[in-house]
């Protein structure tokens, strides 16, 4: 079913319907941060309430005008920018930033979708509670955007991803109706779970306007260790031992490769490296123990001994140490960006198969040429960023034509290893073809039926996740 453009006449109608919310879309809202993809939109709407969102969506539905929801613009798969097709209305939640209510004793907080993750963390902390979602983009990424993409980040191992942190939701469905689902219940088996459907739908089934979020006690004390490991297999052994010792007190278990550390040394030489010479592989372990538990630093030191390790290791002695260790991990993507990858992948693989995958993928890629590979990321979640870089002395532009071939090679292997070609970042518009290629046929039929049932005119985020 074809859509109509968000043209001047329609924009004027929106303005008379909901005064003071519609303006011209500016580059900030139209450009994807990392890839620099530039989208288009007939207008930008910045509603202030769920009723205004509802009125805007109902008008778009009547006129068959597409809507692209916009949170903080930090998505990496062009879900929030539409580079082709009929000009849509861009709908930003940036004015809906209220913390509506906090129940510290229930460990629940209701936030509007435009609130940044960082602001939500602070609101929880102000009540002596933890909102554990944490990702490098948290200063801009929003509650609505992270829920719409079911974002992960560095604390998934202990607290789960965005969907796991959501108890209830308020959303505007594609016909403009409001779903008042802001329950704060942990048990509610009353039919289909719309919350879990909208979480991860990337704005294709409705606009999330507020969420009730799970909070947690603040961790008593936290400690972080950087430990050299001989190989990914050794890192997995250490992960198992760490979980045996600390159980669900392990917040993060991150893998870093020597290649990533080399890139840091090359592009950000001012950053102090933890070990010299640089190791081939290293893990960052973060634990947070409840009040009155064993001392986490002592615990990490004991873990090192009981795991029989002899490699180089650093255990934090202060918050400043922790931050310094994390800074290394968080700067790895920046080092990558400065080198310039031919292809970046955000994959997940069943944990025990990761060493085999890395071996097979590395062998296959090296057979094609002397590419450099930086595999790093949330090992504890089985989620790796598997990034491929041009050989030394060459630029990513020199290898632009290799991208398709490398994508197929990696994603075929991911499928063979029963993994996922998109662990955290979603499908957006970039990976629609991959979903069609690798998605389970029955699941795709069900997804299209759900889309058709909830959004028969196809106005919600056209072309994202499923082809329009
Ligand atoms: C430096 C950096 C680090 C990152 N690290 C991680 C990481 O560790 N883990 C991870 O999972 N991701 C990561 N990301 C990706 C990104 O931050 C997440 O996908 C994030 O969830 C997007 O939130 P946002 O508010 O910016 O949404 P946007 O980018 O604006 O939108 C993302 C998608 O959600 C839709 N959407 C936005 N708001 C709503 C809403 N209210 N209702 C319905 N649909 C909506 C959009 O249409 C789009 O499809 C990173 C990105 C950057 C730039």
């Amino acid at each position: 079913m074809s859509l109509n453009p968000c043209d001047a006449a329609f924009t004027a109608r929106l303005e008379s319907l909901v005064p003071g919310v519609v303006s011209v879309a500016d580059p900030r809202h139209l450009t994807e941060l990392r890839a620099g993809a530039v989208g288009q939109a007939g207008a930008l709407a910045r509603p202030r309430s769920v009723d205004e969102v509802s009125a805007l969506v109902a008008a778009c539905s009547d006129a068959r005008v597409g809507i692209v929801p916009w949170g903080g613009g930090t998505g990496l798969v062009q879900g929030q920018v539409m580079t082709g097709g009929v000009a849509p209305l861009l709908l930003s939640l940036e004015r809906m930033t209220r913390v509506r209510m906090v129940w510290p004793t229930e460990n629940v907080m209701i936030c509007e979708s435009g609130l940044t993750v960082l602001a939500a963390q602070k609101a929880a902390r102000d009540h002596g509670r933890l909102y554990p979602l944490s990702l490098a983009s948290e200063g801009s990424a929003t509650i609505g955007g992270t829920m719409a993409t079911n974002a992960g980040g560095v604390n998934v191992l202990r607290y789960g991803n965005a969907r796991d942190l959501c108890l209830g939701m308020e959303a505007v469905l594609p016909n403009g109706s409001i779903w008042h689902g802001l329950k704060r219940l942990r048990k509610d088996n009353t039919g289909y779970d719309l919350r879990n459907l909208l979480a991860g739908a990337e704005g294709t089934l409705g606009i999330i306007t507020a969420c009730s979020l799970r909070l947690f006690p603040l961790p008593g004390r936290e400690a972080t260790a950087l430990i050299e490991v001989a190989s990914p297999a050794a890192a997995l052994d250490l992960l198992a031992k760490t979980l045996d010792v600390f159980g669900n007190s392990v917040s993060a278990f991150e893998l870093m490769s020597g290649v990533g550390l080399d890139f840091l040394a090359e592009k950000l030489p001012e950053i102090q490296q933890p070990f010299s010479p640089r190791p081939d592989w290293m893990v960052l372990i973060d634990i947070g123990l409840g009040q009155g538990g064993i001392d986490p630093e002592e615990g990490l030191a004991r873990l090192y001994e009981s795991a029989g390790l002899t490699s180089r290791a650093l255990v934090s002695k202060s918050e400043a140490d922790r931050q310094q260790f994390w800074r290394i991990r968080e700067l790895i993507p920046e080092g990558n960006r400065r080198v310039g990858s031919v292809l970046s992948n955000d994959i997940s693989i069943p944990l025990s198969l990761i060493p085999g995958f890395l071996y097979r993928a590395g062998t296959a890629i090296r057979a094609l040429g002397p590419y450099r590979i930086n595999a790093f990321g949330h090992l504890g979640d089985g989620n790796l960023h598997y990034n491929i870089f041009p050989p030394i002395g060459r630029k990513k532009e020199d290898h632009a034509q290799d991208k398709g071939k490398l994508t197929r090679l990696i994603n075929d292997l991911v499928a063979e290893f029963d993994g996922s070609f998109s662990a955290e970042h979603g499908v957006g518009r970039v990976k629609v073809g991959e979903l069609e290629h690798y998605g389970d046929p029955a699941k795709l039929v069900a997804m299209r039926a759900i889309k058709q049932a909830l959004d028969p005119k196809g106005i919600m985020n056209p072309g994202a996740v499923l082809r329009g």
Side-chain angles (χ1 to χ4, degrees):
M1 215 174 281
S2 64
L3 295 173
N4 295 314
C6 177
D7 56 17
F10 182 69
T11 305
R13 203 156 100 221
L14 289 181
E15 180 55 28
S16 66
L17 206 62
V18 191
V21 305
V22 188
S23 62
V24 175
D26 54 69
R28 180 170 78 91
H29 293 95
L30 290 173
T31 314
E32 185 175 293
L33 279 178
R34 207 184 276 179
V38 181
Q40 44 125 15
L44 169 71
R46 297 185 305 138
R48 293 156 292 207
S49 66
V50 62
D51 291 329
E52 288 188 349
V53 176
S54 167
L56 291 164
V57 174
C60 287
S61 173
D62 285 348
R64 288 183 189 279
V65 170
I67 305 172
V68 175
W70 196 90
T74 68
L76 299 171
V77 286
Q78 291 178 26
Q80 74 285 17
V81 296
M82 186 168 150
T83 52
V86 180
L89 175 71
L90 201 61
L91 194 150
S92 165
L93 281 297
E94 68 199 59
R95 281 174 165 175
M96 293 185 60
T97 58
R98 276 192 312 134
V99 177
R100 290 195 193 158
M101 190 67 92
V102 185
W103 293 268
T105 52
E106 290 185 25
N107 281 309
V108 179
M109 167 171 82
I110 291 183
C111 296
E112 290 185 341
S113 281
L115 192 74
T116 64
V117 172
L118 193 65
Q121 291 167 355
K122 180 175 180 316
R125 215 169 28 248
D126 288 347
H127 288 82
R129 290 291 178 266
L130 175 77
Y131 180 58
L133 192 76
S134 179
L135 59 178
S137 55
E138 63 197 20
S140 305
T142 60
I143 291 302
T146 48
M147 210 51 76
T149 56
N150 186 27
V154 292
N155 287 331
V156 174
L157 195 56
R158 184 172 187 187
Y159 300 102
N161 46 29
R163 181 182 271 140
D164 300 315
L165 301 172
C166 184
L167 292 172
M169 209 178 256
E170 176 189 85
V172 174
L173 300 177
N175 61 3
S177 62
I178 301 173
W179 169 44
H180 297 282
L182 280 176
K183 293 267 170 75
R184 48 187 217 270
L185 307 173
R186 277 144 216 267
K187 291 189 167 181
D188 178 20
N189 285 342
T190 52
Y192 300 153
D193 191 342
L194 286 189
R195 171 193 51 148
N196 271 333
L197 198 54
L198 265 69
E202 302 182 47
T204 59
L205 298 177
I207 296 179
I208 301 165
T209 50
C211 297
S212 66
L213 301 169
R214 287 180 72 188
L215 304 181
F216 295 81
L218 287 166
R221 284 200 52 211
E222 293 167 297
T224 307
L226 282 177
I227 301 178
E228 178 182 27
V229 287
S231 62
L236 276 181
D237 280 348
L238 185 56
L239 170 64
K241 286 179 180 126
T242 308
L243 291 173
D244 281 349
V245 173
F246 295 109
N248 65 2
S249 300
V250 186
S251 323
F253 195 102
E254 301 280 309
L255 180 72
M256 285 174 266
S257 83
V259 175
L261 298 173
D262 290 347
F263 288 173
L264 269 190
E266 182 190 330
K267 298 294 178 186
L268 294 160
E270 67 279 15
I271 301 301
Q272 200 190 338
Q273 295 264 347
F275 302 116
S276 176
R278 293 187 284 278
D280 288 341
W281 296 98
M282 170 168 100
V283 295
L284 179 150
I285 308 175
D286 200 75
I287 57 167
L289 295 175
Q291 311 285 352
I294 58 163
D295 178 82
E297 285 150 13
E298 209 183 298
L300 279 171
R302 262 197 263 149
L303 168 76
Y304 179 83
E305 277 170 31
S306 65
L309 294 173
T310 53
S311 58
R312 293 171 289 174
L314 295 169
V315 176
S316 64
K317 294 194 174 52
S318 63
E319 187 52 32
D321 283 354
R322 288 190 66 231
Q323 281 175 16
Q324 207 189 336
F325 296 174
W326 269 108
R327 193 163 147 71
I328 305 280
R329 164 63 185 90
E330 280 161 2
L331 282 171
I332 298 276
E334 181 56 22
N336 288 346
R337 196 186 63 76
R338 294 191 187 198
V339 174
S341 70
V342 179
L343 180 69
S344 302
N345 298 282
D346 161 44
I347 57 173
S348 58
I349 302 283
L351 273 182
S352 60
L353 304 185
I354 285 176
F357 171 85
L358 289 174
Y359 176 77
R360 286 273 304 280
T363 308
I365 289 166
R366 270 187 291 276
L368 296 177
Y371 296 101
R372 290 170 292 170
I373 299 164
N374 185 12
F376 69 101
H378 317 303
L379 184 72
D381 311 327
N383 172 199
L384 291 180
H385 302 303
Y386 192 90
N387 297 353
I388 304 168
F389 294 83
I392 293 172
R394 313 224 30 195
K395 295 201 185 81
K396 66 175 180 181
E397 291 78 18
D398 302 334
H399 291 268
Q401 75 284 359
D402 302 347
K403 201 168 171 168
K405 181 172 59 181
L406 289 169
T407 304
R408 194 52 66 231
L409 185 157
I410 295 298
N411 288 346
D412 278 356
L413 260 185
V414 167
E416 189 186 323
F417 278 76
D418 204 18
S420 167
F421 64 82
S422 186
E424 289 195 309
H425 298 160
V427 176
R429 292 182 172 78
V430 171
K431 297 187 178 175
V432 171
E434 299 305 292
L435 181 62
E436 287 169 349
H437 190 85
Y438 295 104
D440 177 81
K443 180 184 171 183
L444 282 170
V445 168
M447 283 175 65
R448 290 191 184 108
I450 291 167
K451 173 75 175 169
Q452 176 64 25
L454 290 183
D455 183 16
K457 296 178 183 170
I459 61 163
M460 285 307 312
N461 217 358
V465 183
L466 295 170
R467 218 173 281 277

